[in-house]
Amino acid sequence: MGKMLNMVVDESGIGVVTIDSPGSKVNIWSLEAFEDFRRLLSELEIAKGIRGVVFISGKADNFLAGADLKMIAQIEDEAEAQKVLELFHRAFERLLAMGLPTVAAIHGHCLGGGLEFALACTARIAREGKATCFNFPEGSLGLLPGGGGTQRLPRLIGAGAVELILKGTSLTAAQALELGIIDRLVPAEGDLLGEARAFCEAIGAGTAELKRPVHDFSGIDAVAEAARSEFLKGTRGREIPGPLLALQAIGEGVKLPLREGLELEKQLFVKAVLTPEAKGSIHSFFLKGMTDRPQAMMSEGFVPLPLEKVAVLGFGTMGRGIVIDILRNTRLPVLVKDVPEALEPGKAFVRKILAGMAEKNRLREPVDTVLGRLTMTSEYAPVFGELDLVIEAVFEDLTVKKQVYGELSRVIREDCIVASNTSSIPITAMAPFVTAPARFGGTHFFSPVWLMQLVEVIRGETTAAATIDQLLHFASLIRKRPIVCSDNAGFVVNAMLFPHLLNALQYIEEGNAIEEVDRAMTRFGMPVGPIRLTDEVGIDVPYKALVGMGIPQETLKKVVAAGRFGLKKSGKGFFLKDGTVDPEVLPLIARREPHPRSEEEIQLGILTAMVRMGKDLLDRQIVADVRMIDAGMIWGIGFPADKGGPMKWADLIGLSRKLFGRNFY
Ligand code: NAI
């Protein structure tokens, strides 16, 4: 493998080091990168006549994206954590010890450990551009900057560093200049290298003005405290160690000499990196990567078929959402079919949502241009023969679906792919209704579609692998995070939610208050408690699904029989408008022998039931890969990302070993 760092020294004695990790799209600090950096330092130490060094990236849109997260994820104990940290600190110290002016010439992403390196240089110059950004993403990974970021950034720009590090705010080059993170700005079409070289020479000659104000940190404790309470508001009181330790590193570190501040940062980093929150967050980062680029889930060598025209059947809740996501994320023309009276209201709704997006600058084109790609019909017109893909989102009724597929099959081409958005009818049961069962599968979206990132791609018994591949391709075109599973009651996400609800109801029947059970789960990090979730979805929905599975849950039965389908759905459910539990629902709880539980017992009980269901999905090969379950739960229901998904969480806290004698990962 070639070298990552290549130096050329010009006639004026400025060494230009090009950072270009061979065979990789981005530059990152990996073990090999550090090894190469040590080689470069040795080269620099013996070289004669060098008057300064400029570091510039050889990549199109990336300076240095930070540390190799695989390297960070593998850290298992303090000694290993120290070893990784020393890689950064020794390299930066050795460079600084040479006393040469060093300039980071930045275009593209300058993140985390990459930004820490830039901060360790004498000065920074950046070229404006779409991809040029400065950011410490460590907090979102349950970590804190450990290569000097928590010490060098506040010393350079003052207390404003607290917010940047805690929130992981992404800055443009112009913003970085304004804050004093970089010293100079080159326009997008400017000569970054030429300017950087001249800047480096000027620094060496003492003619460049560098603003290095001495900041007053007497108010830092108050800033840190305010940032802490704001952070805890965002997590609803959950203390995620990494970001909070970052606050401590800044607050205490800036009062010490730099060297001691760096030591403090190292100690706190070691603490953070070993927490389950860091490991869970890094795991979620990799799951995100997997669902961002679902190519890895497709069969080897799969080449997507041309996708030029798409149709959606049904312009109700789900059909509208699916249409919105196709229109805003692709340039594909979309045909939608429903009864005549459903068409204009559907379009008006789509327009309203798109206009809201445009207002927030989240739409790439004007609303009318986007809507111009939508055509509506109430007939199976000849244009159906031009379709490459049809998504069906009509009523959840087998007879209706059968009729729809029968009519559709007469007008589409044989190679057109058809997918159902059904939430409960097996794909295998509907496959006989289409002419080409191999080209029929499921795409189970979540509501509201344009806000929920997940789609479950469902393989029926007759679905061909190429159909799944093509549906994954479609999912990525419309920017969904797909997972793949086989037919199953509730597929993955709802299947995992059944035990979550059943256990919650059991605990209520055994004496815990509804509020206690819901609070236990929101304190764990779920966006809503199980009972509130049921109320919002419609209480009859899980009730019917459970009856279908042979589980006639007693409390749900009574609540549904009382006409309480949920506050939104029928005006009455478990809760009142003000958010409190409706006292009228209490007599409907099917009381059992009292056995109230503590908050931890509720959490562990509900999560254990979910993890057992996850194991069952794996054992029955509903999913081929445990990552599908964790990704599904994070992006389908909002399972806390810092826990890495239920299955990873079970591994991290030792539950998997306790229950099954082994880890899932
Ligand atoms: P909906 O009742 O809001 O919309 C269904 C639409 O289908 C209506 O506009 C209706 O006029 C239309 N329709 C009925 N027969 C038709 C036909 N022969 N040709 C064309 N259009 C026809 O229902 P919703 O909620 O959008 O559900 C659609 C599908 O998505 C169902 O299979 C449902 O199980 C599934 N689903 C629903 C979710 C939800 O949260 N609502 C979540 C995930 C899946």
Side-chain angles (χ1 to χ4, degrees), residues 115 184 210 236 243 265 624:
L115 180 50
R184 290 194 181 180
L210 295 179
R236 282 177 301 175
E265 182 198 81

Side-chain angles (χ1 to χ4, degrees), residues 314-319 337-339 342 393-396 400-401 404 421-423 444-445 447:
F315 213 13
T317 308
M318 297 305 285
K337 179 183 178 294
D338 205 313
V339 290
V394 303
F395 296 141
E396 188 73 341
V400 175
K401 304 249 189 214
V404 165
N421 183 51
T422 177
S423 48
H444 182 231
F445 290 89
S447 179

Side-chain angles (χ1 to χ4, degrees), residues 81-388:
Q82 291 285 1
K83 228 163 98 186
V84 168
L85 279 179
E86 288 311 329
L87 290 172
F88 285 87
H89 289 272
R90 294 234 173 94
F92 297 173
E93 276 164 24
R94 236 177 109 187
L95 182 69
L96 287 169
M98 277 183 250
L100 289 170
T102 49
V103 171
I106 301 156
H107 68 269
H109 297 66
C110 179
L111 313 177
L115 180 50
E116 290 179 302
F117 170 65
L119 289 170
C121 289
T122 318
R124 290 146 293 281
I125 180 168
R127 190 173 66 205
E128 287 190 294
K130 248 191 179 166
T132 303
C133 62
F134 299 80
N135 181 4
F136 278 121
E138 282 83 349
S140 67
L141 297 165
L143 298 170
L144 61 148
T150 66
Q151 303 305 305
R152 290 198 172 95
L153 188 65
R155 282 173 173 79
L156 184 66
I157 69 163
V162 168
E163 194 182 321
L164 293 183
I165 290 176
L166 198 66
K167 291 195 178 157
T169 316
S170 186
L171 303 171
T172 62
Q175 290 168 324
L177 179 75
E178 202 181 315
L179 288 171
I181 297 174
I182 61 169
D183 301 282
R184 290 194 181 180
L185 190 61
V186 178
E189 59 291 349
D191 173 12
L192 177 63
L193 180 57
E195 298 267 344
R197 220 189 240 143
F199 188 28
C200 192
E201 272 194 62
I203 296 171
T207 56
E209 191 205 340
L210 295 179
K211 282 192 208 130
R212 297 290 180 264
V214 177
H215 297 283
D216 171 15
F217 287 115
S218 55
I220 194 75
D221 290 342
V223 174
E225 196 38 52
R228 187 187 156 84
S229 16
E230 205 195 321
F231 177 81
L232 289 176
K233 255 190 235 155
T235 64
R236 282 177 301 175
R238 283 197 316 128
E239 302 205 354
I240 299 172
L244 296 177
L245 291 168
L247 273 181
Q248 190 186 341
I250 304 170
E252 294 176 15
V254 292
K255 296 176 191 154
L256 303 169
L258 177 63
R259 181 165 287 278
E260 288 172 38
L262 290 172
E263 285 308 315
L264 174 70
E265 182 198 81
K266 283 186 209 169
Q267 282 171 26
L268 298 176
F269 179 89
V270 171
K271 230 180 176 178
V273 77
L274 297 172
T275 59
E277 286 85 353
K279 296 206 173 291
S281 303
I282 295 172
H283 181 70
S284 295
F285 175 85
F286 286 122
L287 292 177
K288 194 161 176 256
M290 171 185 84
T291 51
D292 269 340
R293 291 176 296 278
Q295 283 74 10
M297 295 182 204
M298 300 173 189
S299 323
E300 225 180 293
F302 166 72
V303 183
L305 299 169
L307 198 53
E308 281 160 16
K309 210 161 203 183
V310 182
V312 175
L313 304 183
F315 213 13
T317 308
M318 297 305 285
R320 293 171 182 187
I322 299 165
V323 164
I324 289 168
D325 267 4
I326 303 173
L327 286 177
R328 70 171 174 147
N329 291 318
T330 73
R331 299 273 158 97
L332 291 171
V334 185
L335 176 67
V336 67
K337 179 183 178 294
D338 205 313
V339 290
E341 58 275 20
L343 298 177
E344 282 309 327
K347 188 169 179 177
F349 181 86
V350 171
R351 177 183 287 280
K352 188 179 90 187
I353 299 295
L354 291 176
M357 289 172 182
E359 232 166 68
K360 292 186 195 134
N361 275 332
R362 300 224 176 99
L363 206 61
R364 289 179 296 188
E365 303 161 290
V367 174
D368 284 330
T369 312
V370 176
L371 269 179
R373 290 194 290 270
L374 176 69
T375 42
M376 304 191 294
T377 178
S378 56
E379 309 271 314
Y380 286 107
V383 59
F384 273 78
E386 294 168 18
L387 298 170
D388 301 306

Side-chain angles (χ1 to χ4, degrees), residues 507 512 516-517 520 595-605:
Y507 301 162
N512 281 105
E516 274 175 331
V517 173
H595 175 51
R597 289 165 174 81
S598 70
E599 183 166 296
E600 286 82 53
E601 284 170 324
I602 295 172
Q603 291 171 341
L604 191 63

